[in-house]
Amino acid sequence: MSRLIEWFGHNPVAANLLMWILVVGGLLALPRTHQEEFPNLEVDAVRISVPYLGAAPTEVESGVCIRIEEAIQGTEGIDKITSSASEGFCTVTAELVEGVDKTKLSNDIKSKVDAIDSFPAETEKPVTAEVTYVATVLQVALSGDADERTLKLLGQQLRDDLVALPAVSQVDLLFARPYEISIEVSEQTLRRYGLTLAAVGRAIEQTSLDIPGGSLKTEGGEILLRTRGQAYVGR
């Protein structure tokens, strides 16, 4: 290295020529360089999320996480599997081998997870999705002297207004709880009618439904039949 530096010291023309080659080459390549102020990071991983309501982390691990790991273990294209068990929630992340078809492998993992029939009864449907990271540009906090429902409606309206902007591609509404209907039946009423809370729950599940009823073909076209019985309000 010292000899090379010494040679350039005795040959300034060559050193200047090399410098100009580097400068001109950089200027020519600059317009072709892909630049993003907030780039989306592509991650070769698939995440499986399963809610297990009311369960402790140890129960989530043994009842959900381990069974998912056993189901997808050995799948071709998976490099590493990590899981996280918290109160009422299980997350399993499968890191993929570089260069594999992520969409196809994600569908294979989803099929294997959906085929598991030994989950506890309290678990909800697993959600399998490819892992993507999106840069957060701005966070807007909405607050005021209003009830939670009003703030949620205003947040949804603000989200829709922001998405309508031409320069905005994605907006998420955070910390807004889903709507719930609480049904309380006293023990005295249950005994009077010979019911249990489980029976009341089954009755609600079987009647609060939107059910497709097929179709009728007529001369004017096809008519789709559907019963609309899903309840959205307490009354």
Side-chain angles (χ1 to χ4, degrees), residues 15 53 73 94 102 111 137 152 175 179 181 183 202 219:
L53 304 180
Q73 188 73 39
K102 188 163 68 170
S111 299
V137 180
K152 181 176 180 179
F175 310 113
Y179 293 117
I181 298 177
I183 300 176
R202 286 194 300 269
E219 295 180 355

Side-chain angles (χ1 to χ4, degrees), residues 42-47 93-96 102 106 129-132:
E42 293 293 335
V43 181
D44 293 332
V46 175
R47 178 176 295 137
T93 303
E95 299 179 16
L96 311 182
K102 188 163 68 170
S106 177
E130 299 178 9
V131 177
T132 57

Side-chain angles (χ1 to χ4, degrees), residues 164-214:
L165 297 177
V168 178
S169 61
Q170 181 177 347
V171 179
D172 293 328
L173 179 62
L174 304 178
F175 310 113
R177 297 189 299 176
Y179 293 117
E180 293 182 352
I181 298 177
S182 176
I183 300 176
E184 300 178 1
V185 184
S186 65
E187 183 178 356
Q188 183 179 1
T189 303
L190 292 176
R191 290 181 177 179
R192 182 187 308 166
Y193 294 99
L195 296 174
T196 62
L197 288 177
V200 175
R202 286 194 300 269
I204 296 172
E205 291 177 355
Q206 294 171 1
T207 55
S208 179
L209 293 173
D210 289 339
I211 303 177

Side-chain angles (χ1 to χ4, degrees), residues 46-101:
V46 175
R47 178 176 295 137
I48 305 104
S49 304
V50 183
Y52 185 5
L53 304 180
T58 54
E59 296 173 336
V60 173
E61 179 183 11
S62 60
V64 181
C65 294
I66 293 179
R67 297 180 184 182
I68 294 177
E69 293 177 2
E70 293 174 347
I72 65 176
Q73 188 73 39
T75 302
E76 185 177 358
I78 294 181
D79 182 37
K80 182 181 178 182
I81 300 175
T82 56
S83 62
S84 173
S86 58
E87 185 175 355
F89 203 80
C90 167
T91 302
V92 178
T93 303
E95 299 179 16
L96 311 182
V97 177
E98 185 178 358
V100 300
D101 188 344

